[in-house]
Amino acid sequence: SGRAKIAVVGNVLFQIIKSNQQTIIVECNRTYILDQGDQIDILATKQSVYGYMAIEGGFNLKSFYKSVSVLSRAEIGPNDGKKIKVNDKINIRTICKR
């Protein structure tokens, strides 16, 4: 259906940019529905180094030691250990709902 549920946890400042260019300021530790074409803009962490994003169905990435987490300072993890950049696409596993 082109929709996915996401959650961002930690002390992270981020927003969702809808496909119609409407910007939604969001809060951590809550779930949100993304429609096809929506974008997540992660701006910064606040008084923290880490933040975590989960996507319903999971990321469709080759795991590294059974994890799809990236530690960019050590260049460890999928995507050659690099952060996701502007215009990078995230492939997710879809869930079949009956």
Side-chain angles (χ1 to χ4, degrees), residues 67-82:
S67 173
V68 293
S69 294
V70 171
L71 181 55
S72 58
R73 284 189 277 174
E75 296 183 351
I76 295 173
N79 197 34
D80 296 323
K82 293 179 176 52

Side-chain angles (χ1 to χ4, degrees), residues 4 7 10 12 15 18 25 34 42 50-51 58 60 69 76 81-82 84-85 90-91 94-97:
V12 180
Q15 58 192 10
K18 303 298 282 179
I25 304 299
L34 291 181
I42 299 173
Y50 299 102
N60 191 9
S69 294
I76 295 173
K82 293 179 176 52
I84 298 169
K85 297 181 300 302
I90 301 171
N91 294 316
T94 56
I95 297 177
C96 296
K97 296 182 181 175

Side-chain angles (χ1 to χ4, degrees), residues 33-70:
I33 300 292
L34 291 181
D35 294 304
Q36 187 169 337
D38 291 351
Q39 298 177 42
I40 304 166
D41 187 5
I42 299 173
L43 304 166
T45 55
K46 300 182 283 184
Q47 300 175 334
S48 175
V49 178
Y50 299 102
Y52 301 91
M53 180 172 63
I55 297 179
E56 179 181 30
F59 296 94
N60 191 9
L61 296 169
K62 183 178 177 187
S63 65
F64 180 79
Y65 288 99
K66 299 182 181 180
S67 173
V68 293
S69 294
V70 171

